[in-house]
């Protein structure tokens, strides 16, 4: 089935909010297992030193990335997160450690409280975990419609893994993909690892 981004945004926001707490926990646990397998497979052939992740908006029933983050730290991989600059419509990237102080922005996204630490250049990132509402079999995604992640992903290295995390399976095709949309290299769901 083919759909527009606007149609998918409405239906998948509703689908996600309709998940019970038990079902959300079940899907997150399956995603964690799939993510661990994926990372261990990738590190057999490539160096994975820095992973950029999103932090979940709890009220939106987003994928819970915290178990993934804690596993990465135990696995010896550093993590980074973003702060949204609404004046420039860009994401600024900073280290995420166990000591990072977080505060929610106006959209409910946890962000680090910035002191004086330098930003991380996107070209230093080996993998980006990308939030999404829906995705298709070609690796295109539907986010919240602001374009922050497409601008960010366009500035990453060509060999950077761009990995969508989805609580639902793929749709067949998103019909209104634009030239500025950056397709994902992989997408992980509770039951599948999808490659573009």
């Amino acid at each position: 089935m083919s759909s527009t981004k606007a149609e998918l945004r409405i239906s998948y926001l509703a689908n996600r909010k309709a998940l019970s707490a038990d079902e959300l926990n079940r899907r997150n646990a399956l995603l964690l297992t799939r993510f661990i397998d994926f990372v261990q497979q990738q590190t057999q052939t490539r160096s994975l030193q820095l992973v950029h992740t999103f932090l979940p908006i709890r009220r939106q029933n987003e994928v819970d990335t915290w178990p993934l983050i804690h596993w990465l730290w135990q696995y010896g991989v550093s993590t980074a997160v973003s702060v949204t600059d609404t004046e420039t419509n860009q994401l600024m990237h900073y280290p995420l450690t166990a000591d990072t102080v977080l505060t929610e922005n106006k959209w409910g996204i946890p962000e680090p409280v910035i002191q004086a630490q330098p930003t991380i250049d996107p070209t230093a990132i080996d993998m980006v975990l990308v939030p999404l509402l829906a995705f298709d079999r070609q690796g295109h995604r539907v986010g919240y419609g602001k374009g922050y992640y497409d601008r960010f992903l366009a500035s990453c290295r060509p060999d950077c893994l761009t990995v969508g995390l989805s609580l639902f399976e793929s749709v067949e095709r998103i019909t209104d993909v634009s030239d500025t949309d950056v397709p994902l290299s992989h997408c992980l769901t509770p039951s599948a690892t999808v490659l573009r």
Side-chain angles (χ1 to χ4, degrees):
M1 180 176 149
S2 301
S3 305
T4 67
K5 291 179 186 176
E7 291 167 342
L8 290 166
R9 192 171 288 121
I10 291 168
S11 63
Y12 277 81
L13 270 171
N15 290 346
R16 210 164 60 185
K17 285 188 175 181
L19 292 174
S20 68
D22 285 348
E23 181 61 16
L24 183 63
N25 289 338
R26 187 186 76 83
R27 294 186 188 205
N28 274 314
L30 290 169
L31 263 176
L32 174 61
T33 300
R34 188 160 296 279
F35 175 76
I36 290 171
D37 290 345
F38 177 76
V39 169
Q40 289 176 333
Q41 186 178 28
Q42 291 297 320
T43 52
Q44 291 176 12
T45 57
R46 67 166 66 224
S47 173
L48 201 62
Q49 297 181 22
L50 181 60
V51 172
H52 183 286
T53 183
F54 63 95
L55 299 178
I57 306 173
R58 300 287 188 190
R59 66 182 186 225
Q60 297 280 12
N61 271 5
E62 282 196 334
V63 170
D64 185 2
T65 51
W66 281 111
L68 285 64
I69 292 164
H70 289 124
W71 181 83
L72 285 168
W73 290 344
Q74 291 178 343
Y75 198 60
V77 178
S78 298
T79 54
V81 291
S82 295
V83 171
T84 307
D85 187 332
T86 54
E87 290 186 11
T88 63
N89 287 330
Q90 299 289 330
L91 297 176
M92 309 301 291
H93 315 293
Y94 296 91
L96 176 69
T97 70
D99 298 322
T100 301
V101 178
L102 300 170
T103 185
E104 286 190 2
N105 69 12
K106 65 180 180 181
W107 296 296
I109 303 171
E111 294 182 334
V113 176
I114 301 309
Q115 309 294 325
Q117 72 256 48
T119 59
I120 293 172
D121 190 296
T123 60
I125 297 168
D126 301 306
M127 178 191 291
V128 180
L129 302 181
V130 185
L132 52 82
L133 288 163
F135 72 102
D136 69 13
R137 295 172 190 171
Q138 293 71 46
H140 298 113
R141 59 182 273 278
V142 177
Y144 294 109
K146 302 291 186 185
Y148 284 103
Y149 265 83
D150 288 310
R151 287 186 288 275
F152 166 32
L153 296 178
S155 66
C156 293
R157 299 192 319 267
D159 68 331
C160 179
L161 295 168
T162 53
V163 182
L165 300 177
S166 178
L167 295 168
F168 300 97
E169 302 310 310
S170 66
V171 299
E172 187 174 323
R173 191 168 73 89
I174 298 168
T175 56
D176 54 345
V177 172
S178 73
D179 292 340
T180 57
D181 290 348
V182 178
L184 303 167
S185 63
H186 300 78
C187 197
L188 307 183
T189 77
S191 63
T193 299
V194 182
L195 285 76
R196 172 163 55 94

